[in-house]
Amino acid sequence: MASEDTGRIRARLKDGLVNVKVLMRHPMETGSRKHPATGALLPRHFIREVVCEHNGSAVLTLDWGWGVAADPYLSFDILDGKAGDSITVRWEDNQGASGRLETEVR
């Protein structure tokens, strides 16, 4: 998925905490909706695992399912961060596709 727009990420240092905000571009299909033209069920397509890293160390791991909305938004805080630190959020979906977003703390 490197050539696709996988989303946006921002990390800001404020009052000793790094606030990370992530928007992941993904359809998050539940398997319950029908195709408007054919009426056939759309197959499940959802992010199943999200890993958030601070300077290469995992600080948050999420196991998701098909109940999460399309283009999920995630916000979390990290203790003991500083300007210039690396933040990475990566995910894999149930069809084997993956996404990755990286930024530096500002």
Side-chain angles (χ1 to χ4, degrees):
M1 291 180 70
S3 63
E4 293 181 25
D5 177 15
T6 57
R8 295 184 308 220
I9 185 170
R10 184 179 91 180
R12 305 264 189 228
L13 181 62
K14 183 177 180 182
D15 299 328
L17 293 175
V18 175
N19 178 253
V20 180
K21 295 180 180 182
V22 184
L23 176 66
M24 295 171 258
R25 301 236 187 265
H26 197 280
M28 300 298 284
E29 282 296 339
T30 65
S32 300
R33 292 184 336 120
K34 294 182 179 182
H35 189 280
T38 65
L41 284 177
L42 296 170
R44 284 188 179 160
H45 187 197
F46 59 92
I47 294 172
R48 62 174 188 78
E49 182 181 48
V50 180
V51 177
C52 307
E53 298 174 341
H54 174 226
N55 291 331
S57 297
V59 293
L60 180 65
T61 301
L62 305 163
D63 292 319
W64 281 354
W66 56 87
V68 178
D71 295 335
Y73 171 79
L74 175 64
S75 178
F76 60 95
D77 293 326
I78 299 173
L79 298 173
D80 299 325
K82 62 184 183 303
D85 284 358
S86 169
I87 305 294
T88 303
V89 175
R90 55 187 169 82
W91 63 92
E92 186 173 321
D93 70 19
N94 67 314
Q95 296 182 2
S98 61
R100 179 184 184 96
L101 295 166
E102 296 179 82
T103 192
E104 286 187 4
V105 176
R106 301 201 189 284

